[in-house]
Structure formats: structure tokens, C-alpha cells
Amino acid sequence: MKRPIAVTLFIFALFAAAFGQGSTTITKNDLSQSEVDTIIKKMARGESLFRQALNSYAFNRSATVQTIGMGGQVTGTFRRDSFLSFTDAGGRFEKILFAPVTTLTEITITAADLNNLGGIDPYAIEPKDVARYNFAYLGKEHIDELDLHVFDVTPKVIPDWKKSKEKLFTGRIWVDDKDFLIVKTKGKAVPEGKERFAVMETWRENIDGKYWFPSFIAADDDLVFDNGQVVKLHARVKYTNYRLGRTDVKVIEEEDVPAEKPAPAAAPPTKKP
């Protein structure tokens, strides 16, 4: 499992984000259903271990969400830089480092939205829910120095948004062929209901030679609402400075909060009333 990586996907992510490239050719690789099932089983186990390991790390997150007008101009910006860690009980702790007043007018963004910009967390698939998905094996793709198994993933049954707030992932995942860990995802949550979720592309970075943690998230998508309104969303989220350590702090002290306090947790980005 300990495999040194000379060039991380983070560099690839920055290149792709800057130039709109990064799409390579998927090579058809005929595997038996038994071989595919083995990859999925190893991936699920690796994802479970990865999530456990993440609880022992602290890291920084810098998030920028913008709306884009007809001429390509920025019509509003939300910015939030934070230090994040986890408590011994597994709860998330956030210390806000920088959060200027938002200028967004077409949508609202909350702290909860940053954890679920695509309607789901950056890790895409809960290991316990693997059996609830269909995995269509597409073949292998070479990115940077990695050879990756590529799957299209869809829920077997989409939850009824009128009866449940549960969200499942739909999209594509890339799984390393040596460690059998997810190193890239592209997709969003279903069902949307009255909410709208952007398609998020998430790259992971190799940390400590063992784990693939989220490194860079990008979205450039149109949110189409029931009334016909279209909001063009541009989002970039960077995760940096992963290091072992957790906090015992349970709440953010008032003096640590910038002038504009974060709004209470709410649903993912939706049209303002």
C-alpha cells in the first residue's frame, strides 16, 4: 500500500482547471465480472480505512464560489478559508481564518454547502452503501503516473426526495490499480428535488505514502431551477497542509469568528426566495 508518488494528481488538477484539459483516452480492458467485483470490494475496504485515517488528520481548506453572468463576468463571490480537524468523538471542528462578506445574490451558500457542494461530501461513495450502486466498468485510463480503473456509478434505486433527505452519488470514479483507492471522482447527488447540485470534479492527493485525501475540487456548471432561472456556478476548493493531529475543542469561540458569522446549516445551493 505504501507507494511513493513523484507527481501527484494535484498538479494535474491545476493544469486541468487552468486549461480545461486533462481528458485522456480510456482503454478498453475486458475483465470478468468476478474481477470487477474484486476491484469494487477492495475499493470499498480502502475507502473505509481512508475515512478512518482522515479522522486523525488536520488540514486547511480554501473555498471560492462564484456566479457568472451572461458576458462571463463575475456577478457574486463567496470566500471562506478554514482550518479543519476532528474531535475524539469524530465530530468536525472548523476554525474560520478568512471570510469576507459574500456578494452572492442569486444563490445562498452556507457552511454545510461547502461540505456538500455536489449534494454529497467530497468522498462521493459511503463504503456502507456500495451494495446500493451499479458499477459499470469502462476500462483503464493513464493519468500522471497512475493507471486507473474507471467506473460509471449509478444508484440502483434513487431515494424519493419527498420522503427522505438521503442523497446518493451518480457519476464516474477512478480507482488506482495498485492500492485500489479512489483518486478522482466526477458527479453529483441524486435526487435533487427542489434543490440543484453542481457536477463536482474532485482530485485526491497521496498523503504519507498511504492515503488519497481530497486535494482540489472544481465545478463549472449551470444550475437550472424550476422557474426557468439559470445560474452559472464556478467553484474551486483546495485542501492543503494535511498533518496528523486532532482537536478537543467542541465549539468555535466568539472571538475566532469573523465579522460575518456563517449562516446555519441548510440545504445545498438553491435559489433565494
Side-chain angles (χ1 to χ4, degrees):
M1 200 169 184
K2 295 182 180 180
R3 185 159 62 107
I5 302 297
V7 181
T8 69
L9 283 179
F10 181 56
I11 297 175
F12 169 78
L14 293 178
F15 178 85
F19 298 101
Q21 299 177 0
S23 176
T24 57
T25 302
I26 297 176
T27 302
K28 182 67 175 178
N29 186 22
D30 292 325
L31 297 180
S32 67
Q33 187 58 49
S34 175
E35 290 173 310
V36 171
D37 291 343
T38 297
I39 294 171
I40 295 170
K41 183 177 180 180
K42 290 181 178 180
M43 179 272 293
R45 181 176 181 275
E47 283 294 291
S48 180
L49 294 174
F50 144 70
R51 289 172 185 248
Q52 294 176 32
L54 185 60
N55 286 345
S56 298
Y57 281 77
F59 51 94
N60 289 79
R61 182 185 66 194
S62 176
T64 301
V65 180
Q66 296 175 318
T67 51
I68 308 299
M70 292 290 291
Q73 76 280 10
V74 175
T75 58
T77 299
F78 174 95
R79 173 75 181 273
R80 187 183 179 105
D81 296 351
S82 307
F83 162 82
L84 294 105
S85 183
F86 295 87
T87 66
D88 287 336
R92 185 187 297 269
F93 164 78
E94 178 180 7
K95 179 181 177 66
I96 302 170
L97 305 176
F98 180 63
V101 176
T102 180
T103 57
L104 293 176
T105 59
E106 298 174 273
I107 59 174
T108 57
I109 298 290
T110 69
D113 295 333
L114 294 183
N115 299 327
N116 304 277
L117 282 173
I120 47 175
D121 67 31
Y123 322 126
I125 298 175
E126 284 276 1
K128 64 180 179 61
D129 290 332
V130 165
R132 302 176 63 184
Y133 289 97
N134 291 314
F135 292 84
Y137 184 67
L138 303 181
K140 297 188 75 172
E141 188 169 4
H142 185 81
I143 300 178
D144 274 0
E145 298 179 350
L146 305 176
D147 290 310
L148 309 174
H149 295 291
V150 186
F151 292 89
D152 276 345
V153 182
T154 55
K156 293 178 179 178
V157 178
I158 297 177
D160 186 342
W161 68 270
K162 294 181 179 179
K163 299 179 180 179
S164 172
K165 294 183 179 180
E166 183 179 37
K167 305 297 180 186
L168 295 176
F169 174 80
T170 183
R172 182 168 292 184
I173 64 173
W174 287 256
V175 179
D176 178 59
D177 71 347
K178 297 294 190 301
D179 295 338
F180 297 98
L181 296 173
I182 295 176
V183 299
K184 181 184 174 185
T185 65
K186 183 176 183 179
K188 65 177 183 178
V190 290
E192 288 184 301
K194 294 183 179 180
E195 303 165 327
R196 293 297 180 267
F197 305 121
V199 173
M200 310 298 296
E201 194 162 8
T202 302
W203 289 264
R204 298 187 187 181
E205 180 180 2
N206 188 264
I207 302 297
D208 292 341
K210 297 182 291 184
Y211 308 112
W212 288 91
F213 290 164
S215 177
F216 183 79
I217 300 176
D220 290 283
D221 202 4
D222 293 334
L223 306 181
V224 182
F225 294 92
D226 289 339
N227 65 356
Q229 181 189 15
V230 179
V231 177
K232 187 172 184 59
L233 184 76
H234 171 94
R236 297 291 184 267
V237 184
K238 296 180 182 179
Y239 297 80
T240 58
N241 198 20
Y242 281 101
R243 63 272 196 195
L244 284 169
R246 58 171 40 163
T247 181
D248 293 326
V249 179
K250 301 299 189 295
V251 297
I252 301 175
E253 298 297 336
E254 186 174 354
E255 59 266 23
D256 289 333
V257 181
E260 183 193 28
K261 294 185 180 180
T270 59
K271 179 189 172 187
K272 275 191 171 182

